[in-house]
Amino acid sequence: MVWLGIIGILLGGGYILSRPCLFVKAGGSRVAVVQAAPGTEFSIRFIHSVQKTPVEENLAVDADGHSFVLHSTKYQSFGVGLPFLEGEGDFRQEGDYYIMDNMERHFPSLTLRTGVGTKLTLFLGGQEYRIYESYPPGTPVEIYVNSLGKGLLS
């Protein structure tokens, strides 16, 4: 009977450790771990380093469950690196903002960096992570999906 309990615990632990999670690391430290599934959404907000205006990028875990897809970008002024071409998605203006929907750009993982005055902030799993408040400019920020067990070891 004891062996059945031990086997149950091992199987349950194995199941939990194999679950996909979205990981955020900054400067080598774990910032967030959120259970992930295809469609799990999150946003990246920052101040554009050249235009000095807010930008919001809306992403989700891709259908494969291991990568990301950028669905839309919202920003206030045209500038370097900001989408505006017809082939990049569906462009529209809403008040003071320009929005590019249906971008559908795919990324296996994301690596960002904190910057001077960029106020890098993540919105993930109902939480706000103000990365810029805890990490100095130039800090690499990695966002990726992995199993809980592998992600905790990396």
Side-chain angles (χ1 to χ4, degrees):
M1 208 56 151
V2 172
W3 287 107
L4 287 177
I6 292 172
I7 290 171
I9 290 170
L10 291 174
L11 288 174
Y15 173 75
I16 290 169
L17 292 174
S18 69
R19 301 279 313 206
C21 289
L22 193 153
F23 289 85
V24 178
K25 282 186 168 182
S29 299
R30 198 171 306 113
V31 174
V33 178
V34 176
Q35 188 172 339
T40 299
E41 297 178 344
F42 65 101
S43 296
I44 301 168
R45 292 187 191 163
F46 58 95
I47 303 298
H48 193 278
S49 61
V50 175
Q51 300 303 111
K52 307 296 185 206
T53 56
V55 177
E56 178 178 327
E57 296 181 329
N58 300 299
L59 301 100
V61 174
D62 208 345
D64 66 9
H66 301 289
S67 60
F68 303 107
V69 60
L70 172 63
H71 290 303
S72 67
T73 300
K74 179 178 176 179
Y75 54 94
Q76 281 189 320
S77 60
F78 290 106
V80 176
L82 294 171
F84 66 91
L85 298 175
E86 185 176 316
E88 294 183 283
D90 299 325
F91 182 77
R92 72 182 196 288
Q93 185 173 359
E94 252 182 40
D96 293 338
Y97 286 90
Y98 300 103
I99 299 170
M100 183 68 77
D101 283 321
N102 302 312
M103 295 179 72
E104 308 316 303
R105 290 187 190 169
H106 300 268
F107 302 93
S109 61
L110 300 167
T111 301
L112 314 170
R113 286 198 181 268
T114 55
V116 175
T118 59
K119 296 186 178 183
L120 179 61
T121 305
L122 301 176
F123 293 86
L124 169 66
Q127 297 291 317
E128 177 180 9
Y129 299 91
R130 295 179 182 191
I131 307 297
Y132 71 96
E133 290 181 348
S134 301
Y135 298 93
T139 301
V141 179
E142 301 170 73
I143 305 172
Y144 58 95
V145 177
N146 207 339
S147 68
L148 179 60
K150 288 181 182 177
L152 291 175
L153 294 175
S154 64

